[in-house]
Amino acid sequence: MPRKPTRSPVQHQRSLLDPSTSVAEVERLPLATFTERAYLYYSMYVILDRALPFIGDGLKPVQRRIIYAMSELGLHAAAKHKKSARTVGDVIGKFHPHGDAACYEAMVLMSQPFSYRYPPVDGQGNWGSPDDPKSFAAMRYTEARLTRYSQTLLSELGQGTVEWMPNFDGTLEEPRVLPARLPNVLLNGASGIAVGMATDIPPHNLREVVAACLRLLESPRTSVRELCEHIKGPDFPTDAEIITPADEIREIYTTGNGSVRQRATWEKENGNIIITALPHQVSGAKVMEQLAGQMQAKKLPMVVDLRDESDHENPTRLVIEPRSNRVDVEALMNHVFATSDLERSYRVNLNMIGLNGRPEVYNLRDLLGEWLKFRIETVRRRLQFRLDRVSRRLHILDGLLTAFLNIDEVIRIIRQQDDPKPVLMKRFKLTDIQTEAVLELKLRQLAKLEEIKIKGEQKELAIERDVLQATLESGANLKRKVRDELIADADEFGDPRRSPIRVRAVAKAMDASELIPTESVTVVLSKQGWVRVAKGHDVAPATLNYKSGDGYLHDAKGKSNQLLVALDSSGRTYAMPTHNLPSARSQGEPLSSHLSPPAGASFAGVMLGAEDALHVLGTDYGYAFIARLGDLYTKNKKGKATLRVPTGARVLAPQPVSDVGSGYIAVVTTAGYLLSYAVAELPRLAKGKGVKMINIPGKRLKAGEERVFAYVTFALDQCVIIHAGKRFLRLRPADIEHYANDRGLRGRKLPRGFQQVRDIEAD
């Protein structure tokens, strides 16, 4: 049912400036009232006459005017293409007094097969590409005509099916709505932003929508769930998959709101990943740019190369080359889907102008039901228009037949009378219309054969009249007529679904640690807090080049995908990715450039390993504990308090514990005392001061007094090497037994010459 003619907001606003309105009345209008009304009129104009489609033909005013103007120019599907500038000129000059650029862009959109599911405009020339839909040529270069599909919108236009209204200057008439034979609002969808509301209607498959319409025609009480047996979901103009679950799609059609996810399709070919279809309105060039950016940021280490091999035969062919055949392709694509436009979500908001002229969000059943009302009324008006013409023609034929039966007398009256019309009407009881038809007869039509033609035409029209009357008088017959026409249009314009619906889990990005190449590395920390990473574990950190006045302090061995934990002189620990650190081929960079330690604090050591790895943390006051590396992690650049450091104490470099059950620890003091015991005697804590490692005389240590110099963890089959000056002492397992005792005891003094310890290590 077409919209009833109502005064538009613009016309209503003009009435405020009507000459009959006195100046005093206008001046008395409060500014707040005038502003409020003006904004209301503007918002209603944007909603009703610009941004939202009408449920009947699924078109916005600019689209409707473009299609109508092209039909008036004779640009049907079999006609020759004409310059787009000619069409745009007619549209903005006759019906749509707005900018030519916006009008041409709307025309371009309706011609792009990658934007519209069933394009009504057939373009010739550069009309944009999926990579850049707005890369179309200027209107003076392109040509266009209507497609065959546009006939579903125009074929019944001149058959009394719609109301007409004057154009903007009143010199021409234009249709208020096009007599669509199919629910174009669902087939091609729409998107637009109005004032306070918006619309996002995805495209659908013609055959599925028609099947749902037929179901609703046969059973008006059909539910949304039953209609979803026919309409499986949107059908975008791309072969990418729709991965939204069926229950979520049903919820969208029930409420009129929601979102649909679409994912690119891919296949394996000679070990490579070939992307063959992209989601709707996704640019292949942008996808390649996103993936290349990840590769440069070292977030796609499993990919070695990207190529775009798209051509005319393969419109979409993006090649992703994995680093090796050991790469988990499924996991890789899952990550790529989550971090690029290869998987995209589309908002659905079934908001449109209803038959009552008001915007409303429809569910699927109400939408199709209201469109069927529009279609049934359109067919009724078309049949009534045809019935009126048939009846008029039969009426005229009755008069002509009367004249042929009395042709001699008719000729005599015409020859003898100055005004034969009233005489003929009186003599043969003809109406005004019949008499005019008789008087307009040509001499060649007075032949006997013409009488036979009239009788034959009368018979055919009488049959057609009876059929039309029977159809109009029966609602069932009218619905059957609509049904047959829908089936015919579905057979002519329908096609298989393009966007397959698949059950897929939502893609999730890989954890950052999984994206980093797993390789053995050694992190080296200098005395001045500079850090760097060397590949492998066979690096001699002390032999690396250091800045002048700097030197080796500590190192940690592990994997490149593990978090590095740093320990500072205040007992705080910090965590950061290892792969972000500079290579050992350089002199590194300050660790403080990645972290924010307290003022005056320096770094005492670094730790690297799995979350369950254990390390001994302690101070030179002789207290220590075992900490799990995962407990030391923190996202805070300012670190977390872990080791309680007594006033005046120094934090010792942490030592890894390979096996608590069979591991040992050797503690050496500045006075040359050495104590060895099982590392299991130290407690496991997340933070704290720890317990006494070795007994040092005195309750309060003063400057210059004995303290713990260092400690080292080792296995039972390892040697402990004591460095003193340029000499070193290798303590084999049997030798270490001499220094073994319980934790917290005094230990034994090292041999003379090795009591001034410079370093201690396990080998």
Side-chain angles (χ1 to χ4, degrees):
M1 182 183 296
R3 288 181 286 183
K4 295 180 180 180
T6 57
R7 187 167 57 172
S8 70
V10 177
Q11 291 172 332
H12 186 72
Q13 187 176 10
R14 287 173 180 168
S15 68
L16 294 175
L17 304 178
D18 188 32
S20 62
T21 305
S22 66
V23 176
E25 290 176 340
V26 175
E27 289 177 348
R28 289 195 194 101
L29 190 65
L31 180 61
T33 303
F34 179 82
T35 306
E36 181 181 351
R37 289 182 183 177
Y39 187 76
L40 176 63
Y41 299 150
Y42 164 74
S43 62
M44 291 302 295
Y45 163 72
V46 173
I47 292 170
L48 298 177
D49 294 320
R50 192 187 238 174
L52 301 188
F54 178 58
I55 195 171
D57 57 9
L59 300 173
K60 302 176 186 179
V62 63
Q63 298 169 330
R64 186 179 301 118
R65 288 163 176 165
I66 289 171
I67 293 174
Y68 175 66
M70 293 182 73
S71 69
E72 289 294 287
L73 285 170
L75 296 178
H76 50 79
K80 185 180 178 181
H81 293 81
K82 280 189 180 180
K83 286 290 184 182
S84 302
R86 173 73 183 278
T87 299
V88 173
D90 267 33
V91 173
I92 65 176
K94 294 180 178 179
F95 309 111
H96 197 69
H98 297 277
D100 58 344
C103 178
Y104 180 50
E105 190 168 333
M107 180 179 172
V108 168
L109 190 67
M110 289 193 293
S111 73
Q112 293 175 336
F114 49 84
S115 296
Y116 263 51
R117 185 63 176 84
Y118 301 96
V121 177
D122 175 23
Q124 183 171 276
N126 178 12
W127 289 81
S129 66
D131 280 343
D132 188 4
K134 294 193 176 183
S135 62
F136 49 84
M139 68 179 82
R140 61 182 178 273
Y141 299 119
T142 61
E143 298 176 341
R145 65 182 179 187
L146 294 171
T147 61
R148 288 176 55 251
Y149 173 79
S150 65
Q151 292 307 304
T152 63
L153 302 169
L154 296 165
S155 61
E156 301 174 357
L157 190 59
Q159 301 178 27
T161 51
V162 297
E163 293 181 358
W164 296 74
M165 64 181 182
N167 67 338
F168 64 91
D169 60 2
T171 58
L172 296 170
E173 285 195 330
E174 60 176 312
R176 289 186 179 275
V177 62
L178 297 183
R181 302 202 312 255
L182 293 168
N184 184 62
V185 70
L186 273 181
L187 301 184
N188 278 320
S191 64
I193 300 175
V195 179
M197 62 179 63
T199 182
D200 289 283
I201 307 172
H204 291 75
N205 184 267
L206 192 152
R207 291 177 180 172
E208 293 182 3
V209 172
V210 168
C213 289
L214 298 179
R215 176 79 174 267
L216 199 57
L217 267 177
E218 295 172 359
S219 178
R221 295 185 178 181
T222 302
S223 65
V224 172
R225 176 179 289 273
E226 291 170 331
L227 291 176
C228 287
E229 295 175 5
H230 304 282
I231 300 179
K232 306 296 184 182
D235 187 21
F236 296 97
T238 172
D239 296 329
E241 300 175 345
I242 295 175
I243 62 171
T244 305
D247 55 343
E248 291 186 19
I249 293 178
R250 276 196 303 271
E251 184 66 21
I252 291 172
Y253 288 137
T254 302
T255 62
N257 283 290
S259 63
V260 174
R261 297 189 72 84
Q262 196 175 26
R263 177 183 291 181
T265 57
W266 61 281
E267 58 188 27
K268 290 184 67 175
E269 181 182 297
N270 298 327
N272 293 334
I273 299 167
I274 311 297
I275 298 172
T276 56
L278 297 172
H280 183 45
Q281 294 177 334
V282 168
S283 164
K286 184 178 179 181
V287 169
M288 297 297 283
E289 183 180 345
Q290 291 173 336
L291 298 182
Q294 292 188 46
M295 289 181 65
Q296 291 179 354
K298 297 182 179 180
K299 293 183 178 180
L300 273 183
M302 62 286 288
V303 175
V304 69
D305 191 23
L306 298 171
R307 295 190 300 276
D308 187 351
E309 298 180 354
S310 305
D311 53 26
H312 292 291
E313 294 183 0
N314 302 287
T316 301
R317 184 179 169 85
L318 307 182
V319 181
I320 301 176
E321 186 177 340
R323 183 172 295 276
S324 70
N325 56 8
R326 296 190 302 273
V327 172
D328 187 345
V329 176
E330 294 287 344
L332 169 60
M333 290 306 298
N334 203 36
H335 173 77
V336 169
F337 287 141
T339 57
S340 71
D341 284 344
L342 289 177
E343 182 174 314
R344 192 168 178 181
S345 180
Y346 300 89
R347 183 170 176 265
V348 178
N349 182 18
L350 304 181
N351 189 12
M352 62 200 76
I353 307 298
L355 299 182
N356 59 2
R358 297 179 180 179
E360 184 178 345
V361 177
Y362 288 84
N363 61 39
L364 182 61
R365 181 181 178 277
D366 293 343
L367 191 159
L368 293 179
E370 191 149 338
W371 182 84
L372 286 173
K373 290 181 184 177
F374 167 81
R375 181 58 190 159
I376 291 172
E377 177 61 19
T378 302
V379 172
R380 188 196 64 77
R381 295 182 65 159
R382 187 191 78 207
L383 296 179
Q384 186 63 52
F385 178 80
R386 178 59 183 168
L387 178 60
D388 293 342
R389 296 193 66 175
V390 168
S391 299
R392 179 185 174 89
R393 181 60 180 169
L394 283 171
H395 181 63
I396 292 174
L397 290 176
D398 288 340
L400 292 177
L401 191 58
T402 300
F404 273 98
L405 293 176
N406 303 277
I407 191 63
D408 294 334
E409 188 173 357
V410 169
I411 293 173
R412 181 185 61 79
I413 293 173
I414 293 173
R415 292 185 62 186
Q416 293 179 357
Q417 298 294 327
D418 294 333
D419 187 8
K421 184 175 181 179
V423 179
L424 289 173
M425 292 176 65
K426 183 177 181 181
R427 171 68 182 81
F428 299 107
K429 297 181 180 180
L430 300 175
T431 64
D432 184 78
I433 296 175
Q434 290 174 324
T435 307
E436 284 292 337
V438 170
L439 292 174
E440 289 176 1
L441 280 173
K442 297 178 182 179
L443 288 176
R444 69 173 62 181
Q445 294 176 321
L446 299 179
K448 181 66 176 176
L449 185 61
E450 195 66 27
E451 182 181 344
I452 299 174
K453 288 182 180 180
I454 290 174
K455 289 182 178 180
E457 185 179 355
Q458 264 187 327
K459 184 177 180 181
E460 292 177 0
L461 291 178
I463 295 173
E464 183 180 356
R465 177 193 60 195
D466 295 339
V467 173
L468 290 172
Q469 287 178 341
T471 303
L472 289 169
E473 291 171 0
S474 171
N477 289 342
L478 198 58
K479 286 186 177 181
R480 191 176 299 111
K481 181 72 173 175
V482 172
R483 174 182 177 277
D484 294 342
E485 292 177 355
L486 284 173
I487 293 175
D489 287 336
D491 291 340
E492 183 176 358
F493 300 105
D495 58 357
R497 166 176 279 275
R498 287 198 60 184
S499 302
I501 298 178
R502 301 280 189 266
V503 178
R504 309 277 192 199
V506 177
K508 293 183 180 180
M510 291 182 183
D511 186 71
S513 61
E514 296 178 313
L515 296 172
I516 303 166
T518 304
E519 53 187 4
S520 299
V521 293
T522 301
V523 179
V524 181
L525 179 67
S526 73
K527 295 178 181 178
Q528 294 184 0
W530 285 57
V531 67
R532 46 186 156 170
V533 177
K535 291 184 178 181
H537 290 168
D538 54 350
V539 180
T543 62
L544 298 176
N545 291 326
Y546 294 88
K547 293 175 57 180
S548 176
D550 199 3
Y552 167 75
L553 176 65
H554 193 234
D555 67 89
K557 295 178 173 59
K559 300 291 184 181
S560 57
N561 61 342
Q562 295 171 339
L563 288 179
L564 175 70
V565 178
L567 176 67
D568 72 4
S569 58
S570 67
R572 303 183 71 84
T573 54
Y574 310 79
M576 61 176 296
T578 305
H579 69 278
N580 289 338
L581 298 176
S583 169
R585 287 181 294 226
S586 66
Q587 291 182 342
E589 59 189 15
L591 193 53
S592 58
S593 64
H594 298 271
L595 308 172
S596 302
S602 60
F603 290 98
V606 288
M607 295 167 275
L608 193 61
E611 288 189 28
D612 293 330
L614 302 176
H615 283 72
V616 177
L617 307 184
T619 64
D620 64 351
Y621 266 30
Y623 291 88
F625 63 90
I626 299 174
R628 177 178 171 272
L629 206 56
D631 296 333
L632 310 183
Y633 291 166
T634 177
K635 294 182 179 179
N636 192 343
K637 287 188 175 183
K638 294 182 179 180
K640 63 183 294 187
T642 300
L643 178 63
R644 184 144 50 92
V645 183
T647 303
R650 178 176 65 89
V651 175
L652 300 176
Q655 294 293 323
V657 179
S658 57
D659 187 353
V660 175
S662 60
Y664 290 83
I665 185 171
V667 185
V668 63
T669 68
T670 54
Y673 283 88
L674 177 65
L675 176 65
S676 173
Y677 51 87
V679 73
E681 295 188 36
L682 294 175
R684 292 194 192 184
L685 302 174
K687 62 179 181 178
K689 179 181 177 181
V691 297
K692 185 179 291 188
M693 292 186 291
I694 187 172
N695 184 27
I696 300 177
K699 294 183 179 179
R700 293 185 179 181
L701 298 182
K702 299 179 181 179
E705 292 184 352
E706 182 183 6
R707 300 192 182 195
V708 172
F709 175 77
Y711 53 81
V712 65
T713 57
F714 62 96
L716 188 60
D717 58 348
Q718 286 184 299
C719 297
V720 175
I721 302 175
I722 306 295
H723 294 270
K726 294 183 179 180
R727 303 170 62 192
F728 68 89
L729 173 65
R730 180 182 293 273
L731 299 175
R732 294 177 174 81
D735 301 327
I736 297 176
E737 286 291 333
H738 177 69
Y739 301 93
N741 212 327
D742 294 335
R743 177 191 62 82
L745 297 182
R746 180 60 174 152
R748 294 178 181 272
K749 203 156 192 174
L750 291 167
R752 188 183 301 273
F754 294 98
Q755 297 174 1
Q756 298 297 320
V757 180
R758 177 175 57 84
D759 191 13
I760 181 173
E761 62 177 338
D763 182 19

